[in-house]
Amino acid sequence: MMNFLARLSRFRRSEWEMLASGLIALGVVMLMQPLSLTLFTLSFPVTLIGTVMFIVVSHFPE
């Protein structure tokens, strides 16, 4: 358990926030595109994962 917590402490906020923001933006683009119903259907889960990831990552150390 201590090894797992030590690995978690190495995460830094900036890279993970950028990835989470990219997922949110990708989900919004998928939502607004008119070509594929599959992309439209998957847009909500992608945006939700990005949002939850951003909330979790915002608690990581800088």
Side-chain angles (χ1 to χ4, degrees):
M1 185 68 174
M2 294 301 289
N3 190 17
F4 176 73
L5 291 175
R7 283 187 304 170
L8 272 181
S9 68
R10 281 186 258 170
F11 286 132
R12 295 295 173 226
R13 183 186 306 183
S14 62
E15 295 88 9
W16 289 97
E17 276 184 350
M18 218 180 303
L19 178 65
S21 298
L23 278 176
I24 294 168
L26 178 66
V28 170
V29 168
M30 290 167 61
L31 181 67
M32 294 191 300
Q33 61 83 29
L35 302 174
S36 173
L37 185 60
T38 304
L39 289 178
F40 178 78
T41 304
L42 292 174
S43 66
F44 179 72
V46 170
T47 307
L48 184 64
I49 289 169
T51 304
V52 170
M53 186 176 173
F54 191 86
I55 291 169
V56 169
V57 165
S58 68
H59 292 89
F60 285 178
E62 291 194 39

